[in-house]
Amino acid sequence: MNTPSARPSVLFVCVHNAGRSQMAAAFLTHLTGDRVQVRSAGSAPADTVNPAVVEAMAEVGIDIATEVPKVLTVEAVQDSDVVITMGCGDTCPVFPGKRYLDWELPDPAGQGVDAVRPIRDEIENRIKGLVEEIAPPSRA
């Protein structure tokens, strides 16, 4: 993972892939560009991304209006270096050699944008810490 050609890969998983994991993936992509391969998925994906989540992210200049919830696959887990779960329980497959983190965050499902903002801000803070750890900006 320390070679210049190897990009770390991160998979964010929540139940519906309509809120928390979408926000996390968007923040990581926004902050790292192409330095990190980013995926998100859900164990029981919704039909669409939560509109309050789309609105909350737009407030910080990140457009996720075209994102679509994706189903969690074994391949997505196998292809990721770090798997971050957000309330998907035991439905996430576990493979040796992967790093797993579980971020306990409130579920924004059914919440308005006022309730989503603090969840968004907590996710952003956690993503900034993750970036420093797995893909710090080059010091050139």
Side-chain angles (χ1 to χ4, degrees):
M1 210 157 74
N2 292 337
T3 60
S5 62
R7 292 187 304 162
S9 58
V10 179
L11 169 65
F12 296 99
V13 182
C14 66
V15 176
H16 301 298
N17 190 222
R20 296 166 289 186
S21 55
Q22 291 283 354
M23 288 190 281
F27 273 124
L28 186 56
T29 299
H30 179 74
L31 292 170
T32 63
D34 61 358
R35 296 195 326 261
V36 177
Q37 185 176 19
V38 181
R39 299 178 182 89
S40 71
S43 53
D47 293 330
T48 60
V49 174
N50 180 332
V53 167
V54 172
E55 183 179 340
M57 292 302 287
E59 290 176 354
V60 294
I62 300 175
D63 181 6
I64 63 169
T66 60
E67 293 298 326
V68 177
K70 296 164 276 308
V71 69
L72 176 63
T73 65
V74 170
E75 292 78 21
V77 177
Q78 287 176 321
D79 292 345
S80 299
D81 299 311
V82 180
V83 178
I84 299 176
T85 58
M86 302 170 166
C88 70
D90 297 328
T91 59
C92 190
V94 176
F95 293 97
K98 305 291 175 197
R99 179 173 172 206
Y100 290 87
L101 300 171
D102 184 44
W103 290 356
E104 289 192 27
L105 296 158
D107 189 345
Q111 304 285 333
V113 72
D114 289 341
V116 172
R117 286 184 189 111
I119 302 168
R120 173 201 65 202
D121 296 345
E122 176 63 22
I123 289 172
E124 181 180 21
N125 287 334
R126 292 181 188 209
I127 292 297
K128 286 179 177 177
L130 182 69
V131 168
E132 283 300 315
E133 188 180 325
I134 67 167
S138 61
R139 309 273 188 235

